[in-house]
Amino acid sequence: MAQKPSIPKGTRDFTPEQVAKRNYIFNTIQTQFELYGFQPIETPSFENSDTLMGKYGEEGDRLIFKILNSGDYLNKVDDKLYQTKNSNAITSKISEKALRYDLTVPFARYVVQHQNEIEFPFKRYQMQPVWRADRPQKGRFREFYQCDADVVGSTSLWQEVEFVQLYDAVFKALKLEGVTIKINNRKILSGIAEVIGASDKLIDFTVALDKLDKIGEQKVKEEMLEKGISQEGIDKLKPLFTLSGDFNSQVEQLKGILNSSEEGKKGIEELEFIDKAISELGLQTVNLQLDVTLARGLNYYTGAIYEVSAPENVQMGSIGGGGRYDDLTGIFGMKNVSGVGISFGLDRIYLVLEELNLFPEAVAKNIDLLFINFGETEALFCLKAIKQLRLNNINSELYPDAAKMKKQMNHANKRNIPFVVLVGGEEMKSDSYTLKNMVSGEQEKVSLQDVIAKFK
RNA sequence: GUGGUUGUAGCUCAGUUGGUUAGAGCAUUGGUUUGUGGUACCAAGGGUCGCGGGUUCGAAUCCCGUCUUCCACCCCA
């Protein structure tokens, strides 16, 4: 064999079976998106670099795949700059396009660009691949799909409520039990930072707080100190680390901490609104949980923040996330358009369903009938029958070669084809078809009409 | 981006302190069986030991580089 070909790190090929399973998830999510009134859009796989750069923080910028300019791209770089070997500065000269990193920022660009054609509030969904130059691990790829639903042009908290319901509906439809939706509010985080006198260190503060369940209270405090948050401020956080009880009692404890922060109080109000509505409406399968340490996607979220955790018995990072962003379109020059949205991580949901064995049997489309090929004249006779079957929407095909019976039967087994049809000289004479059940081994001689009636 | 881990036949894996021609199971192909598969038996094909250097009389085995896999950071779906 020649040199084996390969695919880049963090990318995958999908077998027919895998594609069928992935489509099952896509279709399930899509069905719910449409039930909730979202409409599909698509955007290009790559954007102008300045559309993406600077929107995801420093870390994000590093993970964006840049596309080299065409032609003699080094020609544009002046010698002085080239000599500095400053990668960031040179990159902007030799790369003007980049692969999309998520679906939210391209969507914001879309909204601004099409603002005069869009009827607001605009509810769109989008299921497309995104690319990140991350170091791969299990459930972490360089090319993966996101399924996003967002509403722009409405500040109503009913949207937040509906997104919780939408999550619930999708996981119910996927029969995935034990999913937890963690919810928090950026305003609460800002409020706490304000109370402890660390408003200017909001990101450092929340990044450290986010690690609480992973590294523990002591380490979190150390990290905060290290980032320049005062000991006095950290002491004020004490009630935060011991927050306990259900949604309502946690909220009550939070109120104690936040009573001097207007923004923090607003955040609590919003959370209470969502929780009250959800309690009234009820959830089918997911569990809604307040988590004040949740601090994802802070780069643009301004209100509610969601994160979706897989069932506890599966080791997998978050399988979805989302939140409210009041000014995402602002970075593209369109002010005062609030948006809120959620995302499903298709590839991770796939891994979870696979691990829990939750894919329905027969997600793969298969043919019902394989006609055994006995030779030229028989093949033509079979194709006439197959033509009729197909006109009746019955999936069927002829084995292309007059190979040995054993080989053809084996082929049917390997492909899990439930029935084979044998047509030789005898059958042709009497215009009949020997239909063999590949599971039971039983066979019977029937007419074409019988076959159609059986499989239609 | 930092530190570690992995790679032997299509697949899952053996391969001793460096030592002749690198093995097994499954899968594939052919046969026992020229219109009846899954079982059984017989036989065959298939490997630059991830790739590239180095050490050595001699490397799958030791060293370096590189790619890939998975893991912990980082970050995230």
Side-chain angles (χ1 to χ4, degrees):
Chain A
M1 199 189 295
Q3 192 86 333
K4 272 181 207 159
S6 63
I7 55 173
K9 185 195 326 206
T11 64
R12 295 149 299 156
D13 285 328
F14 299 111
T15 64
E17 191 197 344
Q18 290 170 324
V19 171
K21 289 177 172 175
R22 289 167 65 85
N23 284 340
Y24 160 72
I25 303 175
F26 278 129
N27 293 338
T28 305
I29 294 175
Q30 184 175 21
T31 300
Q32 296 302 324
F33 279 179
E34 293 187 347
L35 271 174
Y36 276 73
F38 293 90
Q39 294 182 301
I41 68 160
E42 293 190 10
T43 62
S45 46
F46 55 96
E47 297 269 351
N48 293 325
S49 293
D50 46 13
T51 300
L52 304 181
M53 297 298 283
K55 310 299 190 295
Y56 310 99
E58 210 176 306
E59 188 69 18
D61 282 359
R62 207 195 76 214
L63 297 177
I64 292 174
F65 275 107
K66 287 94 185 168
I67 298 172
L68 219 44
N69 289 346
S70 313
D72 189 4
Y73 50 84
L74 271 184
N75 202 19
K76 288 185 186 168
V77 185
D78 69 61
D79 290 348
K80 215 169 163 188
L81 181 61
Y82 187 74
Q83 288 303 324
T84 63
K85 294 201 173 174
N86 180 331
S87 301
N88 285 338
I90 296 175
T91 299
S92 63
K93 299 286 178 207
I94 64 176
S95 165
E96 285 155 4
K97 294 174 286 298
L99 290 176
R100 86 175 146 239
Y101 177 88
D102 72 356
L103 300 178
T104 306
V105 168
F107 174 53
R109 190 225 81 221
Y110 175 98
V111 170
V112 175
Q113 209 173 319
H114 298 266
Q115 50 185 289
N116 294 327
E117 321 149 23
I118 291 173
E119 167 64 18
F120 293 99
F122 179 43
K123 299 171 75 170
R124 77 86 230 230
Y125 74 87
Q126 199 171 348
M127 307 197 294
Q128 291 191 276
V130 301
W131 294 268
R132 295 183 188 178
D134 216 341
R135 195 172 284 202
Q137 284 179 30
K138 194 180 4 179
R140 184 177 199 174
F141 308 100
R142 293 187 137 186
E143 177 184 61
F144 61 97
Y145 272 77
Q146 289 190 333
C147 307
D148 277 28
D150 290 80
V151 184
V152 290
S154 164
T155 54
S156 165
L157 284 172
W158 294 114
Q159 308 293 357
E160 272 85 336
V161 172
E162 280 210 273
F163 279 122
V164 174
Q165 290 186 293
L166 177 52
Y167 268 135
D168 188 43
V170 167
F171 292 118
K172 174 72 178 174
L174 289 171
K175 297 181 175 58
L176 179 59
E177 290 170 6
V179 171
T180 300
I181 299 179
K182 294 183 199 160
I183 187 169
N184 193 12
N185 196 298
R186 163 71 179 260
K187 296 186 176 103
I188 289 177
L189 292 168
S190 299
I192 298 172
E194 183 189 330
V195 167
I196 66 167
S199 287
D200 56 327
K201 301 189 177 67
L202 178 63
I203 300 280
D204 285 337
F205 163 71
T206 52
V207 165
L209 187 61
D210 190 45
K211 295 177 188 165
L212 182 60
D213 57 343
K214 211 169 186 176
I215 63 177
E217 182 178 340
Q218 198 51 42
K219 289 265 169 72
V220 169
K221 286 176 174 169
E222 281 169 24
E223 182 167 333
M224 286 180 179
L225 263 181
E226 213 173 284
K227 297 287 183 184
I229 296 170
S230 70
Q231 183 63 52
E232 191 188 346
I234 292 172
D235 290 342
K236 285 188 189 159
L237 292 175
K238 191 153 193 182
L240 203 59
F241 294 120
T242 54
L243 219 52
S244 61
D246 62 8
F247 206 104
N248 284 326
S249 68
Q250 286 196 48
V251 166
E252 288 310 315
Q253 295 166 64
L254 266 181
K255 282 179 180 169
I257 306 175
L258 287 170
N259 58 16
S260 64
S261 163
E262 283 309 311
E263 191 174 14
K265 281 195 266 189
K266 184 92 194 356
I268 287 177
E269 266 172 43
E270 292 185 12
L271 268 181
E272 283 184 311
F273 180 92
I274 295 166
D275 181 57
K276 184 156 175 278
I278 290 296
S279 300
E280 291 274 334
L281 292 162
L283 292 173
Q284 305 173 81
T285 178
V286 302
N287 171 30
L288 182 67
Q289 213 173 70
L290 170 61
D291 181 356
V292 274
T293 69
L294 176 62
R296 300 275 160 146
L298 265 190
N299 288 299
Y300 42 71
Y301 292 139
T302 52
I305 305 171
Y306 305 106
E307 179 174 300
V308 184
S309 309
E312 275 181 16
N313 53 337
V314 186
Q315 191 143 15
M316 180 63 60
S318 66
I319 56 177
R324 160 86 55 183
Y325 39 90
D326 276 332
D327 202 28
L328 191 60
T329 55
I331 49 184
F332 298 118
M334 187 180 176
K335 297 287 181 196
N336 300 319
V337 180
S338 186
V340 55
I342 60 172
S343 177
F344 292 82
L346 175 104
D347 304 78
R348 287 187 177 177
I349 292 172
Y350 180 102
L351 290 171
V352 170
L353 293 186
E354 189 73 292
E355 192 167 332
L356 297 176
N357 221 346
L358 289 177
F359 283 109
E361 302 260 337
V363 278
K365 289 216 172 65
N366 200 356
I367 61 160
D368 295 316
L369 294 162
L370 177 72
F371 281 67
I372 300 295
N373 189 329
F374 286 104
E376 297 287 307
T377 43
E378 291 89 343
L380 184 60
F381 186 88
C382 287
L383 280 176
K384 286 178 183 163
I386 289 170
K387 180 181 167 190
Q388 291 307 314
L389 290 171
R390 289 174 177 161
L391 283 172
N392 283 284
N393 287 321
I394 299 167
N395 299 348
S396 50
E397 69 179 63
L398 171 72
Y399 192 88
D401 303 294
K404 286 205 172 118
M405 176 84 62
K406 177 172 177 164
K407 189 178 168 75
Q408 299 192 46
M409 294 293 233
N410 250 324
H411 182 73
N413 279 331
K414 291 269 162 62
R415 284 180 56 193
N416 287 316
I417 297 171
F419 289 89
V420 297
V421 180
L422 299 106
V423 180
E426 206 185 306
E427 283 89 349
M428 282 172 67
K429 242 181 266 170
S430 59
D431 193 21
S432 60
Y433 301 79
T434 297
L435 181 67
K436 183 181 173 79
N437 181 322
M438 292 301 281
V439 178
S440 66
E442 288 165 9
Q443 62 186 58
E444 54 181 334
K445 224 181 224 186
V446 296
S447 72
L448 184 59
Q449 284 316 309
D450 291 337
V451 177
I452 291 172
K454 187 175 166 74
F455 290 93
K456 202 166 178 180

